[in-house]
Amino acid sequence: LCDSHTKMFEEPEDPTNRSFFSEIISSISDVKFSNSGRYMISRDYLSVKVWDLHMETKPIETYTVHEYLRSKLCSLYENDCIFDKFECGWNGTDSAIMTGSYNNFFRMFDRNTRKEATLEASKEVAKPKTMLKPRKVFSGGKRKKDEISVDCLDFNKKILHTAWHPQENIIAVAATNNLYLFQENN
C-alpha cells in the first residue's frame, strides 16, 4: 500500500504567530477525503483546511471554527479542553463542510457561497418541525441581542463527532450522550 510515492501536506508556519500553544492548536484531530477524491479536509483546534491533492504546499481554503477562543487558550489549556479532538465531514457533493465546537454548537461552511453558520444541537430544537436558528458568539465590543458571550460558553458541552448522509441533506451530531439528526425541510 505505501511502498511507493508519498506526499506531505504542510502549511508553513508564520514565525510571528508562534506561541506556547502553536504546536497544540495546529495538531490535526481529523482528516477526510472528499467524495470526489480530489480534495481532503483537515481539522485542527481552531480551523478546517481544504487541501487539493495535487497541491501540497498550502491549503486552498481555510475556515475558522472558533477563532474567538484564541484569547482563551491559557484557560483552555488548564482545563484540558485544548486537547479536544473535533471531527469534520463533507456533504455528498463536497460543496459544504461541517465540524463541531463547544456549547453544543456545530459549524457549517458552504464552499460555493463562502457562507457559514453556527447552529446548536439541544433538546429545545430536537422537536419535529423546529427550525435551527443560527447562533453568534460575541467576543468583544457591543453585544447584540441574539449573541452569546464567549465567557458564557459551556466547554463541557461539545460536538466532537459529526456525519453527513452521503446522498440526502441529513446530518448527525453527537453531543455527549445524545445523538441528533437534522434534515433539511422540503
Side-chain angles (χ1 to χ4, degrees), residues 145-160:
K145 182 183 171 208
D146 291 336
E147 293 180 335
I148 182 169
S149 169
V150 69
D151 296 320
C152 296
L153 293 176
D154 187 341
F155 293 101
N156 294 313
K157 291 180 174 179
K158 47 192 127 187
I159 306 278
L160 297 175

PDB file of all heavy atoms in Angstrom, residues 145-160:
ATOM      1  N   LYS A 145     -28.316  41.446  20.517  1.00  0.00           N
ATOM      2  CA  LYS A 145     -29.375  40.742  21.241  1.00  0.00           C
ATOM      3  C   LYS A 145     -29.235  39.216  21.226  1.00  0.00           C
ATOM      4  O   LYS A 145     -29.303  38.572  22.264  1.00  0.00           O
ATOM      5  CB  LYS A 145     -30.727  41.157  20.658  1.00  0.00           C
ATOM      6  CG  LYS A 145     -31.903  40.538  21.357  1.00  0.00           C
ATOM      7  CD  LYS A 145     -33.199  40.926  20.689  1.00  0.00           C
ATOM      8  CE  LYS A 145     -34.333  40.121  21.281  1.00  0.00           C
ATOM      9  NZ  LYS A 145     -35.408  39.927  20.369  1.00  0.00           N
ATOM     10  N   ASP A 146     -29.052  38.618  20.062  1.00  0.00           N
ATOM     11  CA  ASP A 146     -29.051  37.159  19.951  1.00  0.00           C
ATOM     12  C   ASP A 146     -27.678  36.522  20.118  1.00  0.00           C
ATOM     13  O   ASP A 146     -27.535  35.319  19.920  1.00  0.00           O
ATOM     14  CB  ASP A 146     -29.637  36.737  18.597  1.00  0.00           C
ATOM     15  CG  ASP A 146     -31.122  37.035  18.521  1.00  0.00           C
ATOM     16  OD1 ASP A 146     -31.764  37.112  19.582  1.00  0.00           O
ATOM     17  OD2 ASP A 146     -31.635  37.204  17.399  1.00  0.00           O
ATOM     18  N   GLU A 147     -26.676  37.292  20.461  1.00  0.00           N
ATOM     19  CA  GLU A 147     -25.325  36.750  20.585  1.00  0.00           C
ATOM     20  C   GLU A 147     -25.081  36.191  21.979  1.00  0.00           C
ATOM     21  O   GLU A 147     -25.628  36.666  22.959  1.00  0.00           O
ATOM     22  CB  GLU A 147     -24.285  37.834  20.281  1.00  0.00           C
ATOM     23  CG  GLU A 147     -24.297  38.280  18.844  1.00  0.00           C
ATOM     24  CD  GLU A 147     -23.263  39.355  18.553  1.00  0.00           C
ATOM     25  OE1 GLU A 147     -22.874  40.093  19.484  1.00  0.00           O
ATOM     26  OE2 GLU A 147     -22.857  39.452  17.395  1.00  0.00           O
ATOM     27  N   ILE A 148     -24.218  35.162  22.030  1.00  0.00           N
ATOM     28  CA  ILE A 148     -23.807  34.590  23.307  1.00  0.00           C
ATOM     29  C   ILE A 148     -22.353  35.000  23.542  1.00  0.00           C
ATOM     30  O   ILE A 148     -21.537  34.961  22.627  1.00  0.00           O
ATOM     31  CB  ILE A 148     -23.989  33.057  23.336  1.00  0.00           C
ATOM     32  CG1 ILE A 148     -23.606  32.491  24.698  1.00  0.00           C
ATOM     33  CG2 ILE A 148     -23.219  32.372  22.226  1.00  0.00           C
ATOM     34  CD1 ILE A 148     -23.992  31.048  24.907  1.00  0.00           C
ATOM     35  N   SER A 149     -22.051  35.400  24.753  1.00  0.00           N
ATOM     36  CA  SER A 149     -20.698  35.837  25.086  1.00  0.00           C
ATOM     37  C   SER A 149     -19.756  34.632  25.130  1.00  0.00           C
ATOM     38  O   SER A 149     -20.125  33.552  25.596  1.00  0.00           O
ATOM     39  CB  SER A 149     -20.691  36.536  26.443  1.00  0.00           C
ATOM     40  OG  SER A 149     -19.363  36.722  26.883  1.00  0.00           O
ATOM     41  N   VAL A 150     -18.530  34.830  24.661  1.00  0.00           N
ATOM     42  CA  VAL A 150     -17.527  33.767  24.708  1.00  0.00           C
ATOM     43  C   VAL A 150     -17.297  33.316  26.156  1.00  0.00           C
ATOM     44  O   VAL A 150     -16.982  32.156  26.410  1.00  0.00           O
ATOM     45  CB  VAL A 150     -16.215  34.211  24.014  1.00  0.00           C
ATOM     46  CG1 VAL A 150     -15.507  35.291  24.808  1.00  0.00           C
ATOM     47  CG2 VAL A 150     -15.291  33.034  23.771  1.00  0.00           C
ATOM     48  N   ASP A 151     -17.506  34.225  27.110  1.00  0.00           N
ATOM     49  CA  ASP A 151     -17.327  33.880  28.532  1.00  0.00           C
ATOM     50  C   ASP A 151     -18.463  33.013  29.068  1.00  0.00           C
ATOM     51  O   ASP A 151     -18.353  32.442  30.147  1.00  0.00           O
ATOM     52  CB  ASP A 151     -17.211  35.161  29.369  1.00  0.00           C
ATOM     53  CG  ASP A 151     -15.974  35.962  28.992  1.00  0.00           C
ATOM     54  OD1 ASP A 151     -14.915  35.341  28.756  1.00  0.00           O
ATOM     55  OD2 ASP A 151     -16.072  37.193  28.921  1.00  0.00           O
ATOM     56  N   CYS A 152     -19.572  32.917  28.340  1.00  0.00           N
ATOM     57  CA  CYS A 152     -20.721  32.108  28.776  1.00  0.00           C
ATOM     58  C   CYS A 152     -20.773  30.737  28.107  1.00  0.00           C
ATOM     59  O   CYS A 152     -21.698  29.966  28.366  1.00  0.00           O
ATOM     60  CB  CYS A 152     -22.023  32.852  28.490  1.00  0.00           C
ATOM     61  SG  CYS A 152     -22.178  34.372  29.430  1.00  0.00           S
ATOM     62  N   LEU A 153     -19.802  30.424  27.248  1.00  0.00           N
ATOM     63  CA  LEU A 153     -19.808  29.130  26.574  1.00  0.00           C
ATOM     64  C   LEU A 153     -19.582  27.999  27.578  1.00  0.00           C
ATOM     65  O   LEU A 153     -18.775  28.129  28.492  1.00  0.00           O
ATOM     66  CB  LEU A 153     -18.712  29.075  25.502  1.00  0.00           C
ATOM     67  CG  LEU A 153     -18.878  29.991  24.300  1.00  0.00           C
ATOM     68  CD1 LEU A 153     -17.661  29.889  23.390  1.00  0.00           C
ATOM     69  CD2 LEU A 153     -20.144  29.669  23.542  1.00  0.00           C
ATOM     70  N   ASP A 154     -20.294  26.909  27.405  1.00  0.00           N
ATOM     71  CA  ASP A 154     -20.131  25.728  28.252  1.00  0.00           C
ATOM     72  C   ASP A 154     -19.167  24.777  27.555  1.00  0.00           C
ATOM     73  O   ASP A 154     -19.503  24.160  26.544  1.00  0.00           O
ATOM     74  CB  ASP A 154     -21.490  25.055  28.479  1.00  0.00           C
ATOM     75  CG  ASP A 154     -21.421  23.929  29.496  1.00  0.00           C
ATOM     76  OD1 ASP A 154     -20.305  23.408  29.762  1.00  0.00           O
ATOM     77  OD2 ASP A 154     -22.489  23.555  30.016  1.00  0.00           O
ATOM     78  N   PHE A 155     -17.949  24.653  28.098  1.00  0.00           N
ATOM     79  CA  PHE A 155     -16.923  23.826  27.479  1.00  0.00           C
ATOM     80  C   PHE A 155     -17.097  22.341  27.797  1.00  0.00           C
ATOM     81  O   PHE A 155     -16.370  21.508  27.273  1.00  0.00           O
ATOM     82  CB  PHE A 155     -15.528  24.318  27.884  1.00  0.00           C
ATOM     83  CG  PHE A 155     -15.230  25.679  27.314  1.00  0.00           C
ATOM     84  CD1 PHE A 155     -15.345  26.817  28.095  1.00  0.00           C
ATOM     85  CD2 PHE A 155     -14.880  25.820  25.983  1.00  0.00           C
ATOM     86  CE1 PHE A 155     -15.099  28.073  27.566  1.00  0.00           C
ATOM     87  CE2 PHE A 155     -14.629  27.065  25.436  1.00  0.00           C
ATOM     88  CZ  PHE A 155     -14.738  28.198  26.232  1.00  0.00           C
ATOM     89  N   ASN A 156     -18.058  22.009  28.656  1.00  0.00           N
ATOM     90  CA  ASN A 156     -18.381  20.607  28.909  1.00  0.00           C
ATOM     91  C   ASN A 156     -19.374  20.073  27.886  1.00  0.00           C
ATOM     92  O   ASN A 156     -19.538  18.873  27.732  1.00  0.00           O
ATOM     93  CB  ASN A 156     -18.941  20.422  30.322  1.00  0.00           C
ATOM     94  CG  ASN A 156     -17.886  20.716  31.368  1.00  0.00           C
ATOM     95  OD1 ASN A 156     -16.766  20.236  31.268  1.00  0.00           O
ATOM     96  ND2 ASN A 156     -18.231  21.538  32.342  1.00  0.00           N
ATOM     97  N   LYS A 157     -20.082  20.986  27.222  1.00  0.00           N
ATOM     98  CA  LYS A 157     -20.982  20.605  26.129  1.00  0.00           C
ATOM     99  C   LYS A 157     -20.205  20.792  24.837  1.00  0.00           C
ATOM    100  O   LYS A 157     -19.799  21.911  24.519  1.00  0.00           O
ATOM    101  CB  LYS A 157     -22.220  21.508  26.104  1.00  0.00           C
ATOM    102  CG  LYS A 157     -23.157  21.327  27.264  1.00  0.00           C
ATOM    103  CD  LYS A 157     -24.311  22.295  27.078  1.00  0.00           C
ATOM    104  CE  LYS A 157     -25.391  22.115  28.105  1.00  0.00           C
ATOM    105  NZ  LYS A 157     -26.472  23.094  27.889  1.00  0.00           N
ATOM    106  N   LYS A 158     -19.983  19.718  24.113  1.00  0.00           N
ATOM    107  CA  LYS A 158     -19.205  19.829  22.884  1.00  0.00           C
ATOM    108  C   LYS A 158     -19.671  18.808  21.857  1.00  0.00           C
ATOM    109  O   LYS A 158     -20.122  17.723  22.214  1.00  0.00           O
ATOM    110  CB  LYS A 158     -17.711  19.680  23.142  1.00  0.00           C
ATOM    111  CG  LYS A 158     -17.318  18.515  24.014  1.00  0.00           C
ATOM    112  CD  LYS A 158     -15.880  18.594  24.447  1.00  0.00           C
ATOM    113  CE  LYS A 158     -15.765  18.476  25.939  1.00  0.00           C
ATOM    114  NZ  LYS A 158     -14.473  18.686  26.485  1.00  0.00           N
ATOM    115  N   ILE A 159     -19.567  19.190  20.614  1.00  0.00           N
ATOM    116  CA  ILE A 159     -19.877  18.303  19.492  1.00  0.00           C
ATOM    117  C   ILE A 159     -18.534  17.849  18.924  1.00  0.00           C
ATOM    118  O   ILE A 159     -17.882  18.597  18.202  1.00  0.00           O
ATOM    119  CB  ILE A 159     -20.693  19.025  18.392  1.00  0.00           C
ATOM    120  CG1 ILE A 159     -21.949  19.675  18.948  1.00  0.00           C
ATOM    121  CG2 ILE A 159     -20.969  18.077  17.227  1.00  0.00           C
ATOM    122  CD1 ILE A 159     -23.129  18.793  19.142  1.00  0.00           C
ATOM    123  N   LEU A 160     -18.119  16.647  19.279  1.00  0.00           N
ATOM    124  CA  LEU A 160     -16.855  16.120  18.779  1.00  0.00           C
ATOM    125  C   LEU A 160     -17.049  15.302  17.509  1.00  0.00           C
ATOM    126  O   LEU A 160     -16.144  15.200  16.687  1.00  0.00           O
ATOM    127  CB  LEU A 160     -16.176  15.257  19.845  1.00  0.00           C
ATOM    128  CG  LEU A 160     -15.760  15.986  21.136  1.00  0.00           C
ATOM    129  CD1 LEU A 160     -15.212  15.002  22.146  1.00  0.00           C
ATOM    130  CD2 LEU A 160     -14.742  17.075  20.840  1.00  0.00           C
TER     131      LEU A 160
END
